[in-house]
Amino acid sequence: MSQYEDLSYEVKGNVGVVTLDRPDKLNAWTAAMERSIKQALAAAVQDDAVRVIVITGAGRGFCAGADMNMLQQIQPTNWEDRELAKATREESFDFSSGLGPDVSPHYGDRFGYLF
């Protein structure tokens, strides 16, 4: 079983390949996927062999956006308790590579690690 939920990560030569893996849902984004992608990207950044990271989707679509079933469960009274909010703050990883300037503050906390 993969150590990542809703995605797979492998290194092919010098390329880290992250594949969103919910093809039956067009790879709709979940809280589990958010936690896993952070973990996979952090592993790629720390791997000296990886020079490029490619993010792709399994099946016929890259990512349909947020999983609508998950969005249906959001209640206005517990906004900060929703799964995506928890996934954002549960774990922190070191994404610094020293290969260029740190641009993450310019993209906010949520997805700054992608850059």
Side-chain angles (χ1 to χ4, degrees):
M1 184 171 149
S2 172
Q3 69 185 54
Y4 305 103
E5 192 172 341
D6 295 340
L7 64 82
S8 64
Y9 169 67
E10 61 183 320
V11 177
K12 297 178 180 180
N14 295 106
V15 180
V17 180
V18 177
T19 304
L20 307 180
D21 196 14
R22 297 182 71 219
D24 56 319
K25 301 288 186 185
L26 291 175
N27 302 310
W29 196 258
T30 66
M33 188 180 285
E34 185 161 339
R35 286 187 295 271
S36 293
I37 201 165
K38 282 182 176 181
Q39 184 180 3
L41 291 178
V45 167
Q46 298 305 314
D47 187 340
D48 290 336
V50 174
R51 292 289 171 235
V52 176
I53 301 170
V54 173
I55 302 174
T56 189
R60 64 185 182 94
F62 169 64
C63 181
D67 185 309
M68 295 306 290
N69 290 327
M70 189 174 57
L71 293 178
Q72 296 293 331
Q73 298 170 11
I74 296 175
Q75 301 296 318
T77 56
N78 64 347
W79 183 251
E80 287 302 314
D81 292 334
R82 68 196 194 285
E83 285 299 309
L84 277 176
K86 289 180 192 175
T88 300
R89 59 181 189 258
E90 276 180 356
E91 289 186 82
S92 64
F93 296 97
D94 180 11
F95 294 103
S96 59
S97 66
L99 298 175
D102 179 12
V103 297
S104 57
H106 302 288
Y107 293 94
D109 294 334
R110 184 77 190 262
F111 296 107
Y113 64 89
L114 289 171
F115 300 98

